[in-house]
Amino acid sequence: MSLVTLSNLRYGHGLRLLLDGVSGSIHESERVGLVGRNGCGKSTLFKLIARVLQPDEGEVQIARTVRVGYLEQDPKLPMDKTLRGAAAEAFASIEIHQQELEGVFERMATAEPAELDKLMARQVALEEAIEAAGGYSVGHKIDAALHGLGFTDEDFDLPVKGLSGGQKARLALARLLLSDPDLLLLDEPTNHLDIEGRRWLEEFLADEFKGALVVVSHDRWLLDRVVSRIIEIDRGVLREYPGNYAAYRTLRVERMLTVERQHEKQQDKIRQEQAFIDRYKAGQRAKQARGRESRLERFKEDSLVEKHAEMGVMSLDLPSPPQMGDFAFVAEGISKSFGDRHCFRNLTLSARPGARIGIIGPNGAGKTTLVRTLLGDLEADSGTIKRSPRLEIGWFRQNHDHLDRSLVVWQFLQNTIRSLEGAPRANEQEARNLAGAFLFTGQEQEKPIGDLSGGERGRLVLASLIASAKNLLVLDEPTNHLDIPSAERLEESLLKFGGGADGRGGYGGVLLLISHDRALLEDVCDKIIILDGEGNTRVFEGRYSEWEAKQKAERAAASERERKPSSAKSTAPKLQASQPLAKASAERTSAPKLKGRFTSLPIEKIEKRIADIGRELRVIDGAFADPKVASDTTKTKKFLAKREELQKEQSDLEEEWIRKSG
């Protein structure tokens, strides 16, 4: 059943046409990811579906009785209520039914037999309505949603009017999810969520929400795990791709290769026509030349295919940073607190040239404080830190107010980056090459910084830092305002900047990355520092996906231990398992103990094989980004089959790990 049908929608903003005659539909229970460059019209399309805007032409048809839930960027909240009271408004109909039901019970006490029959029928109808709207477990649902989105019990009584912008955004998301609409429109729902919040949202959308979903998100992990169809808005046109975001990337590369070949053929035609025009425009065939010139101009205007700026991998050389010695820093037993708030305690950490370290944890856990302490901005309360005297640090922060707004893009880069020849200042061509590598087109390179959007400004600063020949980069939430192509281009540049533990394969610089972007952490970092917000830290050697798999297994194992008799309980610390994992653990506990293909493997070999599979999956995913692989159907099918086989083996190994560790 089609919930929403779009018919020839056109919508413009000023002189810019955002949607140019688009059509499409959204079906019952469908999960759709809406992607495209910043400013392409994604939020506009949402507002048209939600009736916030009216199209210039065309029509949006919504099936009768369909309830549309839309997460606005500036949500309207009841300022006179507490946080929990505002969330509970999602179940306002239940409260009305419950109040009426209480009145029915009071009237039953004194009702005559004839009236009692009517009251009992009304009681049944009200109880059915309450059950359909969520039953009597609404309190648990409210608390679960608020906890999942990062609120604590102490936050529940906070007045809405005193909440921060991020807290209000999370509250609006909780209210929308609890309202359980038939069609859910989520516009960047992860913007104010830490990693745990993003994981909870993924599980909720995948396992609990039963309606249709359309989501705009720069979080590639969420798109991979939740959606089954991608709609791309590209220069006013909708293009559809089956599958999740990873499948979309592969299919899109194939389409872009076709577009590139078509573009090159058109350029050959243009060159041939222009050569004829230039040769004969002043001679006896001038009239014919003028006619062909007019046709050529119409062809350029109406039929010319544009080549995508992000096509292919980044071909860019970066200036080599100065050598730093054997270590960037060595920290032993360091701690830092502010009053009763402990950021980290007794942490030992070191970074060699080429290290790429991700730092994760809840909002406010002290991630930036850790970096400032490691680099000497703050003094540790205890412990020692030795730093290389040859460190040259580049720091990406969220605020870019210090930039000279009158400089155009390429001039700013020329003034801030190091020349490849070793000069302290790059030449114009080097600056333009860098701008192009970071997806600034020729026209955009002439824009003053003051006219750039927040995402464009962030992209410009990142380009300048990466090519400034610093040997230690600190990136604090660098992808917050980047669209997906920009984030992927950042990843490519960071892999060039970094390198292995010995500094080979890149430029030997050290990267400290503070981020909730799991795709960025996965592709760039080989060591993860985890802060829990209570002063505890863990140092994990490996990729983010390996850390998440370890966490998942630990939570499931802890859940199984809690289900065993108290005499058999382990003394290991208890970690609360998520509802889906707890359910899976319970099913495994009650199931007969069947012998599997990995039963005879010791737990050490199981852990090693899980890590090996993670590396093999990354190699396959990296191959999909290679245009030669993406354009070869046979190779693509072979890689997809191998990927499915590895994922099945990984799942079986994790099951066996849980049984053995329990």
Side-chain angles (χ1 to χ4, degrees), residues 71 105 367 413 458 462 505 524 572 578 604 627:
L71 180 64
F105 287 144
K367 300 184 289 294
L413 291 176
L462 285 166
V524 171
S578 64
E604 295 79 10

Side-chain angles (χ1 to χ4, degrees), residues 128-150:
E128 288 177 351
I130 290 171
E131 187 64 31
Y136 293 94
S137 62
V138 294
H140 170 73
K141 291 182 178 180
I142 293 168
D143 293 351
L146 292 176
H147 287 149
L149 294 176

Side-chain angles (χ1 to χ4, degrees), residues 531-551:
L531 283 68
D532 70 353
E534 298 179 2
N536 303 309
T537 58
R538 292 179 70 173
V539 179
F540 180 78
E541 299 283 351
R543 298 282 185 179
Y544 177 79
S545 59
E546 295 165 353
W547 160 247
E548 190 171 81
K550 182 177 176 65
Q551 264 197 312

Side-chain angles (χ1 to χ4, degrees), residues 277-557:
I277 293 165
D278 292 342
R279 183 176 180 181
Y280 295 111
K281 65 181 177 181
Q284 292 182 341
R285 303 174 70 178
K287 184 176 180 180
Q288 184 182 359
R290 286 196 298 272
R292 291 176 72 160
E293 186 174 29
S294 297
R295 288 196 297 273
L296 180 59
E297 290 304 316
R298 286 197 300 272
F299 173 78
K300 288 180 179 179
E301 184 176 341
D302 299 335
S303 304
L304 187 62
V305 173
E306 292 185 41
K307 184 178 175 181
H308 287 79
E310 68 267 28
M311 179 62 196
V313 297
M314 181 175 70
S315 55
L316 176 72
D317 290 325
L318 298 176
S320 298
Q323 293 185 354
M324 64 179 69
D326 293 335
F327 288 92
F329 58 79
V330 178
E332 295 185 356
I334 61 171
S335 302
K336 186 67 182 177
S337 301
F338 295 97
D340 295 333
R341 178 173 166 260
H342 300 289
C343 297
F344 49 89
R345 290 188 292 256
N346 197 32
L347 173 64
T348 295
L349 179 67
S350 62
R352 291 179 177 273
R356 294 169 291 174
I357 301 173
I359 302 173
I360 64 175
N363 293 326
K367 300 184 289 294
T368 303
T369 298
L370 170 59
V371 173
R372 293 181 64 194
T373 304
L374 289 171
L375 301 185
D377 281 1
L378 295 174
E379 186 176 346
D381 297 338
S382 61
T384 61
I385 305 175
K386 296 179 181 179
R387 305 176 188 90
S388 168
R390 289 176 280 183
L391 283 184
E392 293 191 17
I393 301 169
W395 197 312
F396 177 84
R397 305 174 192 267
Q398 296 299 314
N399 192 325
H400 305 133
D401 293 341
H402 62 287
L403 303 180
D404 184 344
R405 300 171 69 86
S406 66
L407 289 175
V408 301
V409 167
W410 71 265
Q411 289 174 333
F412 170 79
L413 291 176
Q414 185 182 30
N415 291 342
T416 54
I417 68 175
R418 187 84 59 86
S419 171
L420 291 173
E421 281 72 37
R425 186 170 183 266
N427 59 48
E428 179 179 342
Q429 190 57 53
E430 288 175 325
R432 288 188 179 277
N433 289 345
L434 179 63
F438 276 80
L439 306 182
F440 288 100
T441 63
Q443 187 176 357
E444 290 171 338
Q445 293 179 20
E446 303 294 338
K447 288 174 68 173
I449 290 176
D451 293 344
L452 299 180
S453 68
E456 289 172 328
R457 204 171 298 146
R459 183 160 28 110
L460 179 64
V461 172
L462 285 166
S464 70
L465 280 175
I466 289 169
S468 61
K470 300 291 191 290
N471 56 20
L472 191 150
L473 285 185
V474 179
L475 303 186
D476 192 348
E477 295 293 354
T479 59
N480 265 6
H481 301 289
L482 298 185
D483 54 30
I484 292 178
S486 300
E488 291 174 341
R489 189 48 53 94
L490 172 63
E491 287 176 6
E492 293 176 38
S493 64
L494 289 177
L495 291 174
K496 283 177 172 285
F497 168 82
D502 56 1
R504 293 180 300 182
Y507 289 83
V510 169
L511 172 68
L512 298 179
L513 173 63
I514 301 171
S515 183
H516 298 309
D517 186 334
R518 293 161 293 174
L520 181 66
L521 290 163
E522 170 69 13
D523 290 345
V524 171
C525 297
D526 49 26
K527 180 185 291 187
I528 308 292
I529 311 301
I530 306 98
L531 283 68
D532 70 353
E534 298 179 2
N536 303 309
T537 58
R538 292 179 70 173
V539 179
F540 180 78
E541 299 283 351
R543 298 282 185 179
Y544 177 79
S545 59
E546 295 165 353
W547 160 247
E548 190 171 81
K550 182 177 176 65
Q551 264 197 312
K552 177 181 176 181
E554 285 179 353
R555 286 195 299 266

Side-chain angles (χ1 to χ4, degrees), residues 105-176:
F105 287 144
E106 290 178 4
R107 289 163 59 191
M108 281 181 174
T110 57
E112 297 294 331
E115 184 186 8
L116 187 60
D117 289 341
K118 295 180 181 178
L119 290 173
M120 291 177 68
R122 184 58 182 161
Q123 173 194 348
V124 171
L126 287 170
E127 288 177 340
E128 288 177 351
I130 290 171
E131 187 64 31
Y136 293 94
S137 62
V138 294
H140 170 73
K141 291 182 178 180
I142 293 168
D143 293 351
L146 292 176
H147 287 149
L149 294 176
F151 292 108
T152 65
D153 290 341
E154 290 73 24
D155 297 330
F156 286 3
D157 293 327
L158 293 175
V160 172
K161 62 183 177 183
L163 299 179
S164 67
Q167 288 173 319
K168 288 178 180 176
R170 286 185 282 137
L171 172 59
L173 176 58
R175 282 163 53 96
L176 184 59

Side-chain angles (χ1 to χ4, degrees), residues 196-227:
E196 288 301 319
R198 295 178 186 211
R199 186 182 294 125
W200 179 87
L201 178 62
E202 285 171 7
E203 292 183 357
F204 180 89
L205 294 175
D207 301 332
E208 296 189 35
F209 180 67
K210 304 305 179 187
L213 167 71
V214 184
V215 57
V216 172
S217 180
H218 296 161
D219 189 322
R220 290 161 282 169
W221 274 46
L222 183 141
L223 292 175
D224 270 343
R225 297 181 179 195
V226 172
V227 308

